[in-house]
Amino acid sequence: MEESKKIAYFSMEIGLDPAMPTYSGGLGVLAGDTILSGADLKIPMVAVTLLHRKGYFYQRLAQDGWQTEEAVEWVPQDFARELKPRVSVTIQNRPVAIRAWEYAVKGIGGYTIPVYLLDTDLDENAPQDRMLTHHLYGQDLKYRLSQEIVLGIGGIRMLRALGHAQLDRFHMNEGHASMLTIELLDERIRSRQGGAIVPDDIAQIRRQCVFTTHTPVAAGHDKFPMTLVREVFGAHEAFGFEDIFCCDNQLNLTYLALNLSHYVNGVAKQHGEVSRQMFAGYTIDAITNGVNASRWVCPSFQELFDRHIPGWREDNFSLRYALSIPCDEMTQAHQLAKRELIQHVNQQSNLGMDTEVLTLGFARRATSYKRADLIFTDLERLRAISKNAGRLQLVFSGKAHPNDTEGKELIKRIFGAARELRSAIKIAYLPNYDITLGLLLTAGVDVWLNTPQPPMEASGTSGMKAAMNGVPSLSILDGWWIEGCIEGITGWAIGENHRLEHPRSQAADAEQLYRKLEQVVRLYYTEPGRFCAVRTHTIALNGSFFNTQRMMQQYVLKAYFG
Ligand SMILES: *Cc1c(COP(=O)(O)O)cnc(C)c1O
């Protein structure tokens, strides 16, 4: 059955089911929330990703915090349905067969969006090609380019083989998917029985494509030397169009997406600005990220909202009525979430954490610019805050990319600080941060901490999950927090919103963090009524806005049907 306008959403990773290890972090979880809210809003969409049969890794942390990785064993047929059609792409002159598994995402009204997980692990493929859909962000450049051919070229072919003849928009969630533009071009040329590429062909592709860029970090933008592209993908007439399909003897997937999309956006207002500086000459809009409310509100708050804000799942804007929820009920719902988290922490770590102690949470990918260890810049200072202003405990989580040695060292440093502070401040590091742990943490801590190096945090979404559960953020002004922070009302800013060109020092940021933390700790212990008012405002002001329902409405108006 074909709808009149249909969107095909492509993402290298999508976090669908907490037990399917098909995502690494923020990008994948956002993709999952996007599709969930798309289904809630009954937006005609289909989605394409890779199966990642070996999962994004199982994280083991040694006594000293050193991370090692293992493949995640999981059984695709327990989650998804194998589909019949096979398509093929050419990689290094070999045909590579692709099958798809279907996972149906169901919205609150029962509308479903199919997600197709591409899989090359088939008997007819050469051994090295069977592995192409095994590891998310694994191995080398050649592997990455091959995966991107499977996703972009194979993805379009699979959609056609599955009967999706009429697709009106192709949304590339990050540049990884932009090889799809070449297949769209080839489709167009095949449909008129060949001939050379003309400017109108390119204009036509552009009309159909939408591109969302997600990070100012260089590693997030894939580029490949043309010698490798010729070896893996082969020659293509399009590469003759120097300014559009490649530049400087490189295939840059970000530029490919930029050049072939009629609508491009960053994922928060500031990220739009940063992207316009990075990619001068392009028109780049901003649509601020969100989270799916039904997925990211914990059970005790779901129950609370059901009683006070009926219909909040269908209409996330109505979360503004959280202002009318009495504080004692709010605090009670939070204590239930907190007890669940603390029980989990104690079971995992035997630390004996206390539900009456102010608990800070920090969980995200362990990588340098996120600065998980900023709070440990001065251990004596931290010890003094806990002693004088009120007791503190901290819960951390997050994986380092297998090749990110600095990220792994960062985890070790947190373990080291935890050992040194053991007698004064309890600090846990929970392994295997995932969607389930993400909810437990963002709902169960009292304050959500975020200390990235600006302007590297494009958006950040975990603070939005916390806000949905009445947990305020204490964060550097970067990414979404520039929009979400109303000082003392929805949470607290660490330092000023420096102009982007000003370098900042770690010591200065740490000083600002300690000052603000001390105020927050005093507020928590001495003015519970005011602290509770902050909880209420995080939901009413931030939960009602930083959700994927509002976000998808903006994509529909600006990107899909704009
Ligand atoms: C939400 C989430 C992220 C992204 O959080 P950020 O704040 O954007 O870093 C990463 N991993 C998991 C498991 C999540 O749930």
Side-chain angles (χ1 to χ4, degrees), residues 11 24 101 147 301 552:
S11 185
S24 90
W101 299 77
Q147 288 191 321
F301 272 83
M552 281 310 272

Side-chain angles (χ1 to χ4, degrees), residues 185-227:
L185 186 67
D186 283 340
E187 278 190 338
R188 197 176 152 76
I189 290 164
R190 278 198 297 270
S191 75
R192 59 153 196 260
Q193 275 92 46
I197 301 169
V198 295
D200 185 52
D201 294 326
I202 291 161
Q204 282 297 339
I205 308 302
R206 219 175 252 147
R207 264 194 276 283
Q208 300 174 69
C209 293
V210 168
F211 171 44
T212 302
T213 175
H214 285 268
T215 180
V217 179
H221 300 273
D222 288 328
K223 42 184 187 295
F224 307 98
M226 283 312 284
T227 46

Side-chain angles (χ1 to χ4, degrees), residues 219-505:
H221 300 273
D222 288 328
K223 42 184 187 295
F224 307 98
M226 283 312 284
T227 46
L228 182 71
V229 174
R230 282 194 204 91
E231 180 199 334
V232 175
F233 181 66
H236 196 285
E237 188 199 343
F239 299 143
F241 287 74
E242 272 277 322
D243 299 335
I244 296 172
F245 291 93
C246 71
C247 16
D248 300 332
N249 230 1
Q250 281 189 339
L251 178 63
N252 182 317
L253 291 200
T254 301
Y255 279 102
L256 190 58
L258 284 167
N259 290 332
L260 288 153
S261 298
H262 76 282
Y263 179 85
V264 179
N265 71 289
V267 290
K269 286 190 167 66
Q270 177 185 256
H271 180 237
E273 209 173 294
V274 171
S275 302
R276 285 189 289 275
Q277 284 175 21
M278 282 177 77
F279 308 114
Y282 292 91
T283 304
I284 302 178
D285 197 15
I287 295 179
T288 302
N289 280 342
V291 297
N292 180 267
S294 318
R295 168 144 84 162
W296 291 108
V297 172
C298 72
S300 60
F301 272 83
Q302 298 234 3
E303 191 269 331
L304 187 68
F305 294 162
D306 284 342
R307 267 191 293 120
H308 290 274
I309 318 174
W312 64 276
R313 290 185 192 80
E314 291 78 13
D315 176 12
N316 296 173
F317 298 125
S318 67
L319 287 171
R320 67 189 182 281
Y321 296 117
L323 287 176
S324 65
I325 300 175
C327 251
D328 56 335
E329 291 187 45
M330 187 78 71
T331 305
Q332 210 170 6
H334 176 71
Q335 280 306 116
L336 285 173
K338 186 172 180 182
R339 195 164 307 152
E340 211 180 314
L341 170 68
I342 299 299
Q343 268 172 18
H344 179 80
V345 171
N346 287 340
Q347 206 170 45
Q348 296 274 308
S349 64
N350 195 27
L351 277 168
M353 282 196 177
D354 181 348
T355 52
E356 295 304 311
V357 172
L358 170 56
T359 307
L360 298 180
F362 186 109
R364 41 190 63 80
R365 185 157 54 88
T367 194
S368 297
Y369 82 83
K370 303 230 183 199
R371 301 194 298 185
D373 58 345
L374 188 73
I375 194 167
F376 301 125
T377 307
D378 181 349
L379 297 185
E380 283 320 303
R381 185 77 184 271
L382 190 59
R383 217 189 292 262
I385 292 171
S386 185
K387 183 152 176 269
N388 304 324
R391 283 165 65 209
L392 272 177
Q393 57 196 12
L394 281 75
V395 187
F396 285 85
S397 192
K399 296 174 179 176
H401 184 278
N403 300 335
D404 185 357
T405 309
E406 276 183 59
K408 291 184 180 182
E409 293 290 350
L410 185 61
I411 300 176
K412 264 184 82 174
R413 280 205 296 284
I414 296 169
F415 271 65
R419 244 191 330 272
E420 276 194 58
L421 290 168
R422 189 159 40 196
S423 60
I425 300 173
K426 291 178 172 165
I427 299 166
Y429 200 109
L430 303 176
N432 288 304
Y433 184 40
D434 66 1
I435 290 174
T436 306
L437 192 49
L439 179 58
L440 202 59
L441 276 164
T442 51
V445 300
D446 297 302
V447 174
W448 193 247
L449 181 68
N450 192 24
T451 51
Q453 172 72 55
M456 307 301 266
E457 181 96 308
S459 163
T461 52
S462 54
M464 300 175 186
K465 299 166 192 169
M468 286 273 172
N469 293 285
V471 172
S473 286
L474 167 61
S475 171
I476 296 264
L477 285 165
D478 196 18
W480 83 283
W481 192 234
I482 295 170
E483 295 163 59
C485 179
I486 302 171
E487 186 64 23
I489 306 282
T490 60
W492 305 274
I494 300 168
E496 306 290 315
N497 183 12
H498 289 279
R499 295 297 309 152
L500 302 179
E501 52 271 22
H502 284 194
R504 323 160 50 107
S505 82

